[in-house]
Amino acid sequence: MKTGPIVARDVHRRFHVRDTGDLKRELDRLGLELPVDSDMSTFSGPVKSKEITFPNRFVAQPMEGFDSGPDGSPGELSFRRYHRYARGGFGLIWGEATAVLHEARSNPCQLFLNSRSVDAFSRLVESTRNTAGKEHGWNPVMVLQLTHSGRYSKPDGIPKSIIAHHSKILDPKHNLPGDYPLVSDEYLDRLQDTFVDAAKLAAQAGFDGVDIKSCHRYLVSELLASHTREGKYGGSYENRTRFVRETMARVNDEVPGIFVTTRMNAYDAIEYPYGWGVDKDDFHVPDPAEPQALARDLESLGIPVLNVTVGNPYFNPHVNRPYDFTIQGMEPYQEDPLYGVHRFISITRMVQEAIPAVPVIASGYSWLRHLIPDVASGVIKTGGASLLGFGRSAFAYPDAPVDIMRDGKMDPAKCCITCSACTQIMRDGGHTGCVIRDSEVYGPEYRKARRYALDRLKEAALRCRECETPTCSNGCPAHVHVPAFVKAFADDDIPRAYQILKDNNVLPELCAYVCPAEVQCEGNCIESILCGEPVPIRDIQMAVCRLARRKKLTGLKLPEKMSGKKVALVGGGPAGVAAAIALLEKGHEVTIYEKEKELGGTPDTIIPSQRYTDSGKEIEAILGPVGEQNALEIKTGAVLGRTIRLHNIIKEHDAVLLAMGLSKSARIGHAEGVVDALSFLGEIKRGERSTVPPQVAVLGGGSTAMDAGTTAIALGAKDVYLVYRRSFNQMPAWPAERDSFLAKGGHILVLTQPVGYATDESGRLTGLRTARTVPGPPDDSGRPRPEVLENSESILPVDLVIEALGQKIDPAVLDALDGIQTSKQGLITTRNGSSETSVDGIFAAGDCISGGTTVVQSVAEGMRAAAEIDRYLHKK
């Protein structure tokens, strides 16, 4: 039996179907037949198959959230997703695609079952069952889908396709040349073992069953269509189905206590010999013979349920309709969506009729929205399927089963609208869920993922006017040639784009994270004047850096002949690391003395995780390749004046660069309940503090104060007061930082001078003593001096004060500078705007000379110092 051919019949119609009457009229108009039955009792009651009993006929299909932990374990959003399915009443919860190898992951955040993550999977199963038990009094059947992503493998964010056969349809879409290697039979033999081992872990975690995923053109699915492949896994039907049959048989034999099944493609919509379940003469026509044969073979293996799907579940994000598959791997046909629904139901019916004793899951109903159960009830009653699967609809409407059984219908306001935003997040590499119906969680995820999406950024890059004298470059402290790297990115020349960045900024990824682009490069983009929106330079820079790192383009290369000169760098923050990179490239040996356990400095230890997490990835990608060449030595736990002495370092090296940070905070007093901002933010970043009291005051108006304030809000403070002695416009924090603090609910008290603390008898903080100020004559900075008004003191009741009044060099470090000149502000002075200190051979860069500016400024100063040191060494 064959369904009719796929043709571009009728134009796409948006969903405007109010009830079953409207639906029947639409079906009549199109000449289609679908059973419609509004008896919702069809879905209630248990369904028994083999030794398995499904509590009802509702199935949550395997929808990937891409929200795993670093080891592949289910993350917080994973637990949330499955608990929602459990509360919603799904009798069968089919766990999402979970990789069996790291290289088999389609996304760096795809779930990955392994010995390190199995305990987390166990907790997921147990807690999901507990949730269902408390809510409904029964346990759902839980299946885990085991997968190898094959040609879609992207374990580290860069495509690393593993293919079973060459396809003239799919290879060009994946940029695979004709000689791209095929996966070997030996690899597939070992992969059988891997799937069996994963099934054992799934049984250990408590799953009832495992699915050897054979759909959506992933590796096992591709084997089903490997007509052109030679060897025992290609050519004949027996060979092409060997992997799934043998693997499932082995799981039956080797993994007691767990059943095995598959989610199987029944139609690929790709021309023969590259497609499965397609007519040899016309791929538009499904040919169910082989899918039916495989279904009967699997029935003989004792499967208790079969999950059927078709094609590839990608959707067009720009129209209000589903595409249940793509044709020829290209853009979907424009047709009335009911043709697609009818096609999917017809193909599923063919499989169910081939194995009437095995429950087959019906899917592909999302476009029907609130009429899903009416059609599914009719299909089940007429033998076209046995269970009803919710895919994207489960993302949107996880409590649909409860509503159907309680109210006899679905709520239209809760249904999936087939906008495909969930698929767009997946394409963009974000955490996936329903953007519309679960907007509080996934709205920000969608916008974040779209922000860094390459298609959006390339479109935006085309707006760059390639100015001859670019104001954007002038706004960058490192003077990066912005138009050049943006154009290279638009031309898809990532190596050139990264090199242009690196010419003036050797830590471009770090700077893309933390620098105030809105007032630097983007703030000087002429597009801001012309259309009110700059070219997203920062986001493009971020994309270039991530791609370059993943493509291994960032590794530092030493010259063939080293200089034999040795340079010591005191401080492993942005200035010190930037100088180290530049000096190594010049052929000098470098030793970095860093007080912390890792390189990175303030961005890594202080800046909140929501803004910046780990400088180590970029630094390791750059410096890692020189680690074994004895050109770089890193000494951690090294503190000038305590564990190391400057005069000893000078004796052992040809030049020294001082690039220490500002580690000592200014204070106005001490009390229990008062902490300096550096200590507070450091404790948060290290996980040593996770709560704050309800009332918090932050003293200061700079970036560190804003970070402390927004962090306190994030930790649950009811009110956070930022207390600043000058006017709002004189706050040194960047406007975006101030706006973010206010948007999160913070309060800013300007023209308010902190003067001391109120404490109880035990010395515990009870309040902040403040006084009002007015602007007076200009001070040394040129700003109006804040003058305290007499008799204006008051007490602001707070439970915690975070002092962010500025930082300075630790006095112990200053004492250890051995005669190097410093300013009255306690900073190292340099000669005539250079990096040279008052002592020959000793240079300085970064916050220790500037008092603290932007990260990109520190990087620029480190690179400038390196250039001066190189010239000094050549003269020496």
Side-chain angles (χ1 to χ4, degrees), residues 861-876:
E861 290 178 3
M863 294 179 68
R864 184 187 69 181
E868 293 181 18
I869 292 171
D870 179 59
R871 290 194 292 271
Y872 170 82
L873 293 175
H874 280 292
K875 294 177 182 177
K876 189 174 180 180

Side-chain angles (χ1 to χ4, degrees), residues 601-621:
T602 296
D604 203 37
T605 58
I606 303 300
I607 293 178
S609 297
Q610 60 266 31
R611 284 214 293 136
Y612 190 62
T613 302
D614 182 14
S615 62
K617 291 181 180 178
E618 182 182 24
I619 293 173
E620 173 59 28

Side-chain angles (χ1 to χ4, degrees), residues 22-34 36 338 342:
D22 279 354
L23 177 61
K24 290 175 181 177
R25 284 187 286 275
E26 282 294 292
L27 290 168
D28 288 343
R29 182 182 66 82
L30 297 172
L32 300 174
E33 292 185 7
L34 285 177
V36 178
L338 276 173
H342 180 269

Side-chain angles (χ1 to χ4, degrees), residues 651-674:
K651 290 178 182 178
E652 297 170 4
H653 297 84
D654 299 292
V656 176
L657 175 65
L658 301 175
M660 304 87 64
L662 306 177
S663 59
K664 198 70 174 179
S665 296
R667 306 295 300 269
I668 67 166
H670 297 272
E672 184 183 349
V674 178

